[in-house]
Amino acid sequence: MIGDILNFVEQVGIPVTSAIAVGYFLFIILKFLLAQVTDRISSLSKSLLSLENRVDVMNNDIVKIDAQFSCAFNCEPNLDRIAASEGKEDARDD
């Protein structure tokens, strides 16, 4: 093993060998860092999806409350808002 390494250094020279070694270590470090970044991005993506679902649920609840108040006070309900929320399912996980 060590003989092979010394033979390689003898064939290509010390600068080329050290450049290859530094390149390999940089590759390992970048691979490690990018794996951590990918994990964090997927975690943030899940959090954002959860927040988006909560916003959709809150919007549906506001439309429902608006329709109930309109009915209680004999006012004309906001039909545009009701039509915009039609057909959306409840996205809550709980």
Side-chain angles (χ1 to χ4, degrees):
M1 172 85 174
I2 294 176
D4 293 336
I5 294 172
L6 291 176
N7 192 18
F8 180 76
V9 170
E10 186 178 314
Q11 288 178 357
V12 296
I14 292 176
V16 174
T17 304
S18 44
I20 290 172
V22 168
Y24 177 74
F25 286 120
L26 285 176
F27 173 75
I28 296 295
I29 290 170
L30 285 176
K31 185 177 174 184
F32 176 73
L33 290 176
L34 289 177
Q36 286 184 346
V37 169
T38 304
D39 291 342
R40 289 187 181 181
I41 287 174
S42 67
S43 173
L44 287 173
S45 176
K46 290 177 186 177
S47 298
L48 287 176
L49 183 61
S50 174
L51 289 174
E52 184 180 359
N53 289 341
R54 288 179 188 221
V55 167
D56 288 340
V57 168
M58 286 182 4
N59 187 34
N60 290 339
D61 290 343
I62 289 173
V63 169
K64 185 197 263 184
I65 290 169
D66 184 41
Q68 289 174 346
F69 268 97
S70 297
C71 182
F73 293 117
N74 294 328
C75 297
E76 185 69 27
N78 188 349
L79 296 178
D80 292 333
R81 184 185 289 176
I82 294 172
S85 70
E86 285 290 318
K88 293 186 179 178
E89 296 180 14
D90 191 2
R92 287 183 284 196
D93 291 335
D94 43 306

